[in-house]
Amino acid sequence: GFPWQKAEAYNRLGRIYAEKNKTDSALSYYDQAIALNPKDFKALSNKGVLLASIGKEEQAISSYRQALKKNPHDTLTTSLLDQLLEEKKSAADKTRQERIDNLVADLVKRYKSYEKSKKPAYLTDTWTSRPLSITLLNFESKGSPANRAGEYELLTFKLTQFLQGKKRISVVERELIDKLLEELNLSSSDLSDPATALKLGKIIGARFIATGNI
């Protein structure tokens, strides 16, 4: 086959091994794809997603920017880069991080003791409808992995942004949920248990916890 065809095969192998959490093998296949086809912006973008997932943000940013040099009109890579830069900025906000850490510590105590939170003042108003509080968890992929890495995570991110723009909806911060689940030694799959989901939902004040499969 032609070099670009072999590069496509290596890129797909990279996606498969990334889904299996075999990071070193996945990165190796992505690098082989890029070496065979330097114009392969998809492999560069996929590599960026994998690097970001293992905490190598700077390398991920570099990979995204290289991909955009190959194809400046690739909306997926542009969005993934914007999302990573936004997350990096939030992580550098010490005041915000301290607020989240304190809130998580309080929520962990409440979860373990399962205290019933006090009703907000607006519940005494029987005329006004309550705002819809919701939290979104990452969608779980089923079947063959998508050609492009980051599609599912980006879907959740964009959907959250859309809902946050609605006046009648309050979205619980995803960063808060991730840290809380980590402190409680829970995973997203644990929330498939209705009792666990209901308990967590009451603690964080979310009336709906949205999960899904793609």
Side-chain angles (χ1 to χ4, degrees), residues 14-81:
R15 286 289 297 119
I16 292 170
Y17 277 87
E19 289 288 312
K20 294 177 178 293
N21 294 318
K22 295 183 177 180
T23 306
D24 291 340
S25 296
L27 288 173
S28 175
Y29 283 125
Y30 287 146
D31 287 338
Q32 291 182 71
I34 296 164
L36 281 166
N37 182 13
K39 295 182 180 180
D40 192 349
F41 67 93
K42 294 179 181 179
L44 282 164
S45 179
N46 289 344
K47 182 180 177 181
V49 173
L50 185 55
L51 288 169
S53 71
I54 59 176
K56 297 183 177 180
E57 289 89 357
E58 293 301 328
Q59 292 183 43
I61 291 171
S62 175
S63 191
Y64 286 147
R65 286 176 172 162
Q66 289 180 55
L68 288 174
K69 285 182 179 179
K70 312 296 182 184
N71 184 2
H73 305 294
D74 181 37
T75 54
L76 178 60
T77 302
T78 300
S79 298
L80 289 169
L81 176 58

Side-chain angles (χ1 to χ4, degrees), residues 3-212:
W4 69 266
Q5 292 174 318
K6 295 178 181 179
E8 179 65 22
Y10 279 125
N11 183 38
R12 291 291 292 154
L13 282 170
R15 286 289 297 119
I16 292 170
Y17 277 87
E19 289 288 312
K20 294 177 178 293
N21 294 318
K22 295 183 177 180
T23 306
D24 291 340
S25 296
L27 288 173
S28 175
Y29 283 125
Y30 287 146
D31 287 338
Q32 291 182 71
I34 296 164
L36 281 166
N37 182 13
K39 295 182 180 180
D40 192 349
F41 67 93
K42 294 179 181 179
L44 282 164
S45 179
N46 289 344
K47 182 180 177 181
V49 173
L50 185 55
L51 288 169
S53 71
I54 59 176
K56 297 183 177 180
E57 289 89 357
E58 293 301 328
Q59 292 183 43
I61 291 171
S62 175
S63 191
Y64 286 147
R65 286 176 172 162
Q66 289 180 55
L68 288 174
K69 285 182 179 179
K70 312 296 182 184
N71 184 2
H73 305 294
D74 181 37
T75 54
L76 178 60
T77 302
T78 300
S79 298
L80 289 169
L81 176 58
D82 290 343
Q83 180 184 357
L84 181 55
L85 291 174
E86 184 176 321
E87 291 174 351
K88 199 166 180 287
K89 182 180 178 181
S90 297
D93 188 340
K94 294 183 179 180
T95 302
R96 181 175 182 274
Q97 291 303 314
E98 185 177 348
R99 175 181 64 82
I100 290 177
D101 290 342
N102 290 337
L103 183 55
V104 167
D106 179 59
L107 290 173
V108 168
K109 290 180 182 179
R110 287 166 57 186
Y111 184 89
K112 291 180 177 179
S113 60
Y114 199 22
E115 297 174 352
K116 291 185 177 180
S117 58
K118 296 180 180 179
K119 291 184 177 181
Y122 64 76
L123 292 186
T124 59
D125 178 3
T126 58
W127 291 94
T128 305
S129 298
R130 289 186 290 169
L132 175 63
S133 55
I134 185 171
T135 185
L136 297 170
L137 300 178
N138 274 344
F139 292 99
E140 184 179 1
S141 61
K142 299 288 187 180
S144 300
N147 289 334
R148 301 292 301 274
E151 288 183 346
Y152 306 143
E153 294 81 0
L154 189 64
L155 174 61
T156 307
F157 179 71
K158 290 293 186 182
L159 185 55
T160 299
Q161 282 188 324
F162 172 76
L163 293 174
Q164 284 175 333
K166 303 297 179 182
K167 294 181 180 179
R168 295 294 304 148
I169 295 178
S170 173
V171 182
V172 179
E173 294 178 75
R174 178 56 199 267
E175 187 178 358
L176 172 65
I177 298 298
D178 286 341
K179 285 193 174 183
L180 181 58
L181 290 175
E182 183 180 352
E183 288 294 324
L184 294 172
N185 293 319
L186 295 174
S187 65
S188 298
S189 59
D190 291 321
L191 297 180
S192 59
D193 175 23
T196 302
L198 179 63
K199 184 176 177 182
L200 186 67
K202 286 184 176 180
I203 295 298
I204 64 177
R207 292 174 59 199
F208 289 91
I209 296 178
T211 61

